[in-house]
Amino acid sequence: MGHLLSKNGKRVKKKKRKLRRNCFLHGPCMLCFIVHNTSSLAEDQLESASKLAERYAALGSPEDCARFLLSPKELALWEEQGKSLLSGVPAKLFRTVSAGDYSEMVCKRKCPPGAQRGAPCFHIPLCILPSSSSSEGSTGGLPTGAGESPAGTASTATPQSPSESTPLVPSDSQGDCKAFEADMPSINHLPASILLNVFSHLSVRERCLSASLVCKYWYDLCLDFQFWKQIDLSGLQQVKDDLLIKIASRRQNVTEINISDCRNVLDYGICSLASQCTGLLKYTAYRCKQLSDLSLMTIAAHCPLLQKVHVGNQDKLTDEALKKLGERCSELRDVHFGQCYNLTDEGMIALAKGCPKLQRIYMQENKLVTDKSVKAFAEHCPELQFVGFMGCSVTSQGVIHLTRLKNLSSLDLRHISELNNETVIEVVRKCTSLSSLNLCLNWSINDR
């Protein structure tokens, strides 16, 4: 009915326009009956019905709609307007309204977005409605019509005033919907530790460009220090030095950063970050060809606790950076200098002597790295577990030194030009912890 009146209430005056019978109630009600049957109304009755419909359409909440429809005062008005029609209405259509019926008479159009059309729209508990004894004078005498009792005498009960009638909702629940929505369960009611755990599964891009824009609370959570310990900016071409400077100025507890494939990051940005984040432990910068020795030397100077350096495919990197790492970063455990073509034995030997705790060393296509480097690592880094010299200028004379490494578990000797069967057999025999051996592209190795 609310849908009908709110859409068509102001059009009742137009007799030629056919009203839509799309009331959502399961059965007819008095106001629907009067409005739907406007073709049988006189001109003055039609005017009154139009005003009645306009008043209903102006209501703003389901409770107001129900109170309007069930008010004894309004029932009396409807009775007067529909006097000529009510005599022909079956008595069973008019009955005392109970609390169970009340939910069926709520305007379905005024339900909140997303509510099911056939379901009641209530968000707050309801009090018991007036019983049949309290509304007998206003509703019980209607079936016979014209406000008379079944015996034909006028009803003696007087309608209750709005102030005397029982409220439809508790007095403390008559505020607007915002008060109720504040009490609704929300994800923001979860402890901050749980939300932080949820956000930890998001990438930096998802936290910065999605989650942090939801609300101020989520924005603050996304700035939590734990999310800025490990920063992965790999592949983001929009990352420039100014972003690294901002991160360094606000979050000085960064322990890991990955700027692989960030072509717009220069030495200045890395130096700014290293000077502020002295607790940096892991630094990854694959394919950043624009970076030089300056960035890695600055990291070595300001981050003595550095444990991991992966800077593969940097053409400008030289032995000077490796010497600085050997001097200042004795805690280094994992290095990757693959395809850094300017590195020589001089820098590798300095690194091996200064970093005795190395556990992983990987070189790839470093043509200036020879057997001297392999021997230096075997002598000075007894904790090595992973060794790779793919495509380097290494021979069997250098590989044989790796038999000293008792903890060696993985060995990558792909594309070693001068590797023979005897060296492989000796390495396998003495390195009892070896679990992975890669001998691809070695044409001199046979079934033996």
Side-chain angles (χ1 to χ4, degrees):
M1 180 171 58
H3 180 75
L4 170 74
L5 294 181
S6 62
K7 280 191 171 183
N8 300 324
K10 297 183 180 181
R11 301 177 183 175
V12 179
K13 295 181 181 180
K14 300 180 181 179
K15 296 184 178 180
K16 295 183 180 180
R17 185 180 297 274
K18 186 177 180 180
L19 290 174
R20 295 174 58 191
R21 297 174 179 269
N22 54 355
C23 180
F24 294 142
L25 298 182
H26 295 291
C29 60
M30 186 178 298
L31 187 55
C32 271
F33 185 82
I34 294 174
V35 176
H36 283 175
N37 290 273
T38 54
S39 59
S40 302
L41 295 178
E43 187 68 22
D44 57 337
Q45 293 174 334
L46 185 64
E47 181 70 16
S48 300
S50 176
K51 293 182 179 180
L52 198 64
E54 291 178 359
R55 288 178 55 193
Y56 178 82
L59 298 178
S61 67
E63 291 75 24
D64 292 338
C65 295
R67 190 177 292 108
F68 176 88
L69 297 177
L70 300 179
S71 171
K73 181 178 179 180
E74 302 300 339
L75 288 174
L77 293 177
W78 301 344
E79 178 185 351
E80 183 65 24
Q81 300 298 333
K83 185 181 298 183
S84 61
L85 297 172
L86 294 176
S87 58
V89 179
K92 63 181 181 180
L93 295 180
F94 300 95
R95 48 185 166 76
T96 301
V97 179
S98 63
D101 299 325
Y102 177 73
S103 62
E104 295 297 331
M105 296 188 67
V106 174
C107 167
K108 300 313 190 272
R109 178 173 173 78
K110 299 181 183 294
C111 290
Q116 187 177 358
R117 292 184 61 159
C121 303
F122 299 113
H123 303 289
I124 49 180
L126 303 175
C127 290
I128 299 177
L129 295 175
S131 62
S132 59
S133 61
S134 63
S135 57
E136 183 177 358
S138 58
T139 60
L142 291 178
T144 313
E148 297 179 355
S149 64
T153 59
S155 176
T156 58
T158 58
Q160 291 181 339
S161 64
S163 60
E164 296 174 352
S165 61
T166 305
L168 298 178
V169 294
S171 59
D172 58 348
S173 301
Q174 295 180 359
D176 57 13
C177 294
K178 293 183 179 179
F180 173 76
E181 291 174 357
D183 298 331
M184 283 289 289
S186 170
I187 190 175
N188 287 348
H189 292 167
L190 293 173
S193 58
I194 295 181
L195 287 177
L196 291 174
N197 190 8
V198 172
F199 292 163
S200 67
H201 296 280
L202 302 178
S203 64
V204 174
R205 180 192 294 269
E206 291 169 335
R207 282 197 298 268
C208 293
L209 301 182
S210 298
S212 64
L213 304 180
V214 172
C215 61
K216 187 178 185 302
Y217 181 49
W218 285 25
Y219 177 83
D220 294 337
L221 289 177
C222 289
L223 290 179
D224 189 82
F225 72 93
Q226 74 177 39
F227 296 138
W228 299 97
K229 285 185 176 181
Q230 296 90 22
I231 304 176
D232 186 1
L233 303 175
S234 59
L236 301 179
Q237 300 303 323
Q238 60 269 37
V239 175
K240 299 181 180 180
D241 289 346
D242 56 348
L243 177 60
L244 297 182
I245 294 173
K246 289 181 180 179
I247 293 175
S249 62
R250 297 181 181 181
R251 297 284 177 243
Q252 300 181 3
N253 59 328
V254 178
T255 60
E256 179 179 351
I257 186 168
N258 186 348
I259 58 168
S260 299
D261 298 304
C262 294
R263 307 294 173 82
N264 295 316
V265 174
L266 304 178
D267 289 330
Y268 177 73
I270 299 299
C271 294
S272 300
L273 180 70
S275 61
Q276 297 291 331
C277 303
T278 57
L280 189 66
L281 299 177
K282 299 179 181 181
Y283 172 64
T284 305
Y286 289 115
R287 294 171 294 279
C288 294
K289 296 179 178 294
Q290 71 280 6
L291 299 180
S292 66
D293 286 338
L294 179 61
S295 58
L296 192 55
M297 293 175 66
T298 305
I299 290 176
H302 292 90
C303 307
L305 301 178
L306 195 64
Q307 298 179 4
K308 173 183 174 181
V309 175
H310 284 196
V311 290
N313 202 352
Q314 290 191 14
D315 298 337
K316 297 181 180 180
L317 203 63
T318 67
D319 292 335
E320 297 301 321
L322 271 62
K323 292 179 181 179
K324 195 70 173 181
L325 286 174
E327 293 175 3
R328 304 297 298 271
C329 301
S330 59
E331 298 295 323
L332 204 58
R333 288 174 169 81
D334 185 359
V335 294
H336 187 301
F337 297 112
Q339 296 180 320
C340 296
Y341 302 113
N342 293 322
L343 298 182
T344 67
D345 289 333
E346 182 181 358
M348 300 299 290
I349 294 173
L351 181 68
K353 291 181 177 180
C355 304
K357 296 182 180 180
L358 272 177
Q359 298 176 358
R360 295 173 61 91
I361 170 70
Y362 185 77
M363 310 296 292
Q364 179 181 349
E365 304 297 337
N366 302 83
K367 298 301 181 179
L368 300 180
V369 175
T370 66
D371 292 339
K372 295 181 180 180
S373 298
V374 179
K375 181 180 178 182
F377 282 112
E379 291 178 351
H380 300 287
C381 304
E383 298 181 13
L384 275 174
Q385 300 176 10
F386 180 92
V387 176
F389 287 96
M390 175 185 174
C392 298
S393 301
V394 176
T395 66
S396 293
Q397 297 179 3
V399 174
I400 198 66
H401 292 288
L402 297 178
T403 55
R404 299 182 181 181
L405 303 176
K406 303 303 180 183
N407 296 324
L408 186 64
S409 60
S410 180
L411 181 59
D412 187 353
L413 298 177
R414 287 176 291 174
H415 200 200
I416 302 297
S417 58
E418 298 182 16
L419 186 63
N420 53 45
N421 291 323
E422 287 72 17
T423 303
V424 174
I425 294 173
E426 190 69 13
V427 169
V428 173
R429 186 175 66 85
K430 292 188 176 181
C431 298
T432 56
S433 299
L434 195 63
S435 60
S436 175
L437 178 63
N438 195 335
L439 300 174
C440 295
L441 304 177
N442 290 303
W443 317 120
S444 57
I445 302 298
N446 55 30
D447 291 339
R448 174 171 171 261

